[in-house]
């Protein structure tokens, strides 16, 4: 499963030091982070800069007590970074840069053949999750409280996804989209993931919904950037499922193709047949 990377991106510290960003990186006090800030006000795993398709970088606070600040405003949800944005963590200022290349003197531009997109089909499990009532939550909580609640939830969900050998494809402000290639032991890993997500839902910190679909998607990417992007009707179907789950007030919704794959590992009940915008007919869905 390819991991998206960033091309021509780096962080600049106050002393002029540059830290190249090859892809998603973590920032925190613990030695294992990509960027280590050894200060008491910095959490062990404080924030991440997440590489997404289209060569985008998104800043995500991981529920830290003292917050992550972007251009002097506390980050309360995943936010896209732009060239020259200033990130402050525990008093340390990091300037985000993103240009064509990090060092033109030593970096060789891609050849014509390397810029051709790699397009292929892949069968995947697709999971979309989002916070229920995120707008009301943002009105009820202060920016600091919202950052802790949202960031902590995203961090816990991301850990569950990665422990089950999946990958977060993108963060969505109040949610995320993750996937598993069908051959990556998904039939064994996904039931355990569901147990973990149920446990988080029981805590309701915050309340969230999750939908799971299975289908063939298109995977496209550029070899020289090492990133991939999932798209196609089945991806759209999964996001339409999220909206359906919201209208039905269902915390968990499973498509029929996903149920057929996971029926041995999940207990399900019928949620009826429903239509989705942009798709003909009605489809059976299941609670899990």
């Amino acid at each position: 499963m390819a991991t998206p990377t960033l091309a021509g991106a780096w962080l600049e510290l106050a002393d002029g030091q540059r830290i190249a960003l090859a892809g998603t990186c973590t920032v925190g006090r613990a030695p294992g982070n990509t960027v280590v800030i050894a200060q008491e006000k910095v959490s062990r795993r404080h924030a991440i800069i997440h590489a997404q398709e289209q060569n985008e970088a998104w800043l995500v606070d991981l529920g830290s007590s003292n917050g992550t600040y972007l251009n002097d405003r506390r980050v309360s949800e995943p936010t896209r970074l732009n060239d020259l944005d200033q990130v402050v963590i525990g008093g340390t200022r990091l300037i985000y840069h993103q240009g064509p290349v990090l060092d033109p003197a030593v970096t060789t531009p891609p050849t014509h053949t390397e810029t051709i997109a790699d397009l292929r089909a892949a069968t995947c499990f697709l999971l979309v999750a989002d916070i229920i009532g995120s707008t009301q939550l943002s009105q009820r909580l202060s920016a600091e409280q919202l950052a802790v609640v949202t960031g902590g939830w995203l961090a816990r969900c991301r850990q569950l996804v990665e422990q089950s050998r999946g990958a977060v494809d993108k963060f969505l402000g109040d949610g995320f989209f993750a996937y598993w290639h069908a051959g990556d032991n998904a039939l064994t890993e996904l039931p355990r993931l569901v147990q973990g997500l149920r446990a988080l839902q029981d805590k309701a910190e915050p309340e969230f919904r999750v939908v799971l679909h299975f289908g063939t998607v298109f995977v496209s990417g550029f070899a020289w950037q090492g990133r991939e992007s999932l798209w196609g009707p089945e991806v759209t179907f999964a996001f339409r499922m999220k909206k359906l789950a919201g209208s039905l007030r269902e915390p968990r919704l499973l498509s029929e193709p996903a149920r057929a794959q996971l029926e041995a590992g999940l207990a399900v009940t019928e949620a009826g047949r429903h239509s989705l915008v942009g798709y003909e007919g009605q489809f059976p869905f299941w609670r899990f």
Side-chain angles (χ1 to χ4, degrees):
M1 185 178 298
T3 301
T5 62
L6 294 169
W10 71 96
L11 294 173
E12 181 181 349
L13 279 61
D15 61 3
Q17 178 186 355
R18 289 184 174 187
I19 301 173
L21 300 179
T24 293
C25 77
T26 59
V27 183
R29 193 178 72 248
N33 288 288
T34 311
V35 180
V36 178
I37 302 176
Q39 299 176 8
E40 290 185 3
K41 291 184 178 181
V42 178
S43 301
R44 291 181 58 81
R45 284 177 59 85
H46 195 105
I48 61 172
I49 295 175
H50 187 258
Q52 300 192 171
E53 76 271 14
Q54 306 303 322
N55 206 31
E56 294 179 0
W58 286 61
L59 178 65
V60 184
D61 180 83
L62 297 178
S64 64
S65 299
N66 293 302
T68 300
Y69 292 82
L70 175 60
N71 299 327
D72 299 323
R73 297 186 63 180
R74 184 161 182 161
V75 173
S76 59
E77 62 182 24
T79 306
R80 183 180 174 182
L81 290 173
N82 296 298
D83 187 36
L84 300 181
D85 275 347
Q86 297 191 32
V87 178
V88 176
I89 295 176
T92 296
R93 187 174 299 272
L94 306 169
I95 301 177
Y96 177 78
H97 294 268
Q98 188 168 17
V101 293
L102 176 61
D103 187 351
V106 298
T107 304
T108 303
T111 66
H112 174 71
T113 55
E114 289 176 322
T115 62
I116 298 175
D118 172 26
L119 177 63
R120 63 193 185 281
T123 305
C124 299
F125 287 93
L126 310 172
L127 183 147
V128 183
D130 71 330
I131 294 173
I132 298 173
S134 59
T135 301
Q136 292 82 355
L137 190 68
S138 65
Q139 294 171 345
R140 190 172 72 250
L141 301 178
S142 67
E144 290 77 11
Q145 292 171 325
L146 184 63
V148 171
V149 171
T150 303
W153 172 71
L154 287 169
R156 290 188 291 272
C157 288
R158 177 173 178 261
Q159 183 179 27
L160 288 173
V161 168
E162 293 180 350
Q163 285 176 346
S164 63
R165 302 185 184 183
V168 174
D169 182 73
K170 59 171 65 70
F171 289 102
L172 306 167
D174 61 352
F176 64 92
F177 169 47
Y179 67 99
W180 292 254
H181 286 289
D184 292 345
N185 297 317
L187 297 181
T188 302
E189 299 291 345
L190 282 171
R192 287 198 287 265
L193 168 75
V194 169
Q195 290 181 356
L197 291 174
R198 281 175 175 168
L200 285 184
Q201 287 181 318
D202 289 343
K203 293 180 180 179
E205 298 174 351
E207 290 185 279
F208 68 97
R209 67 178 61 88
V210 58
V211 303
L212 188 59
H213 181 46
F214 178 81
T216 300
V217 301
F218 296 108
V219 182
S220 61
F222 293 88
W224 72 278
Q225 290 181 350
R227 58 182 171 83
E228 66 179 16
S229 174
L230 273 62
W231 58 282
E234 302 299 343
V235 174
T236 304
F237 191 97
F239 279 88
R240 295 283 194 269
M241 280 182 64
K242 176 180 73 82
K243 291 186 176 181
L244 175 65
S247 65
L248 297 176
R249 298 183 181 275
E250 293 286 355
R252 294 179 296 275
L253 204 60
L254 192 71
S255 71
E256 172 60 23
R259 184 206 64 82
Q261 293 290 320
L262 297 169
E263 60 181 350
L266 288 180
V268 301
T269 59
E270 293 183 12
R273 299 179 68 89
H274 303 277
S275 59
L276 296 178
V277 175
Y279 293 83
E280 293 185 3
Q282 292 191 323
F283 304 88
F285 295 97
W286 305 80
R287 303 179 186 93
F288 66 98

